Amino acid sequence: MASGRKMHDVRVFDLKCAECGTKIEELPFLPLTDRPVYCVECTSKRPPPKKGNKKKKKSRPSRGRPRGRRRR
């Protein structure tokens, strides 16, 4: 895979593709134990990751009175 990214030799981890079971020898990142890894072919078939999927804080409902200093 010649994508211009640095490839890491991951043969010591004995990784297999989570989809097809092919042995993986190089990755453009160091793998985490809690996430699946995919071979080049399966990665190209998968949809791109969604960006901006962070959970947004829900705003609290208004209590019906204005914020700020109280009027006397």
Side-chain angles (χ1 to χ4, degrees):
M1 186 168 141
S3 64
R5 296 174 76 181
K6 180 182 177 186
M7 298 299 282
H8 298 275
D9 183 2
V10 294
R11 286 181 278 191
V12 294
F13 297 116
D14 194 34
L15 297 173
K16 293 188 178 175
C17 175
E19 198 164 312
C20 70
T22 300
K23 188 171 181 173
I24 298 173
E25 296 182 353
E26 287 186 324
L27 286 172
F29 57 89
L30 290 175
L32 299 174
T33 57
D34 62 337
R35 308 237 358 229
V37 291
Y38 300 95
C39 66
V40 175
E41 290 81 24
C42 291
T43 300
S44 65
K45 294 176 193 174
R46 295 179 56 79
K50 295 179 182 178
K51 294 191 177 188
N53 61 354
K54 292 182 180 178
K55 291 183 180 179
K56 293 183 179 180
K57 282 186 172 181
K58 291 183 179 180
S59 61
R60 292 187 352 194
S62 174
R63 294 189 180 167
R65 31 176 216 233
R67 294 186 174 234
R69 290 181 65 173
R70 285 182 160 177
R71 289 189 170 180
R72 291 186 186 199

